[in-house]
Structures are given as C-alpha cells and as structure tokens.
Amino acid sequence: VQLQASGGGLVQAGDSLRLSCAASGFRFRDYRMGWFRQTPGKEREFVADIDRNGGSTGYADSVKGRFTISRDNAKNTAYLQMNNLQPGDTAVYSCAARNGPRSIYFSTYTKWGQGTLVTVSS
C-alpha cells in the first residue's frame, strides 16, 4: 500500500500549486481521500476530503474558496489545487485514504503516505 504526495515547492503569496497523490496497492476507487497538513509543533490539520466517486467534497474553513480537491479513479490519483496561497498555508501536506464516511480526523484514516512540503513566502 502506498500513497505518494508530490507537487510541493516554494512559492510566493498569491501563487498556485497543484498537489498530486498517487495511490497503489489497494482499490483506490473504494476509498474516500483526504488531504491534511502539518507544521512543526502543531497538530495535523484537516484540509479537504472527497468521496469515492468525487461527487462530494469538504473543506476546512481556512481553505474554502481557495483550494479544490479532485480525483481521477482511472489514474488512482487525487489532487489538491491550491490557489491564492498565503504564508499561513506553509506546511507538509499529506494525503490519506479511508474506507468509510467522511471524517476530519487523521487517526480515522487507515492509509497514508509521505507528505510534500509547501512553503509560501510573503
């Protein structure tokens, strides 16, 4: 089982990034996908999630209107489009998978992988 996040980098405030999460080793289309982020000394924070079919999404208030989560089940990949990035968005972003109803708690996700670092300069 593997979830590999990629697409992070160093950007300026107002810029955009698109993160990808490539899944392998499990039936991707059966799992809800979530994105979380974490900064040193802070708890991991829910960012967004998407249901198995991509028909329902949810967002943290802090990113609503700026971030968009999507998925391509044919490619076993989930995405996080991040627009108008702000310094407060600086974090390591990780993707996770859950076979169950929506949850904003990382501990309820059963599959996760290494994250990708997003750094936003002012």
Side-chain angles (χ1 to χ4, degrees), residues 34-39 42-49 59-63 66-67 80 88-95 103-106 109:
W35 282 97
F36 294 81
R37 65 187 183 186
Q38 189 170 27
T39 54
K42 291 189 176 182
E43 297 243 342
R44 190 176 273 109
E45 174 189 21
F46 169 80
V47 176
D49 74 333
Y59 298 92
D61 287 343
S62 58
V63 308
R66 299 187 298 125
F67 291 11
L80 185 68
D89 296 317
T90 295
V92 173
Y93 285 73
S94 302
C95 56
S103 173
I104 64 171
Y105 301 104
F106 186 77
Y109 285 71

Side-chain angles (χ1 to χ4, degrees), residues 7-20:
L10 172 63
V11 297
Q12 293 187 327
D15 285 350
S16 298
L17 276 177
R18 187 196 197 200
L19 305 184
S20 297

Side-chain angles (χ1 to χ4, degrees), residues 24-44:
S24 61
F26 67 100
R27 191 173 168 87
F28 178 75
R29 66 185 64 203
D30 287 346
Y31 285 75
R32 174 181 296 271
M33 297 299 297
W35 282 97
F36 294 81
R37 65 187 183 186
Q38 189 170 27
T39 54
K42 291 189 176 182
E43 297 243 342
R44 190 176 273 109

Side-chain angles (χ1 to χ4, degrees), residues 46-120:
F46 169 80
V47 176
D49 74 333
I50 188 167
D51 70 358
R52 294 178 298 176
N53 299 321
S56 177
T57 58
Y59 298 92
D61 287 343
S62 58
V63 308
K64 202 172 292 184
R66 299 187 298 125
F67 291 11
T68 302
I69 189 172
S70 62
R71 66 189 296 160
D72 186 339
N73 285 346
K75 296 182 178 180
N76 290 343
T77 303
Y79 304 96
L80 185 68
Q81 176 67 41
M82 305 186 296
N83 297 331
N84 190 22
L85 283 160
Q86 299 300 314
D89 296 317
T90 295
V92 173
Y93 285 73
S94 302
C95 56
R98 168 178 165 79
N99 187 352
R102 181 169 187 245
S103 173
I104 64 171
Y105 301 104
F106 186 77
S107 62
T108 65
Y109 285 71
T110 57
K111 306 181 190 301
W112 60 88
Q114 297 286 345
T116 184
L117 176 62
V118 173
T119 304
V120 185

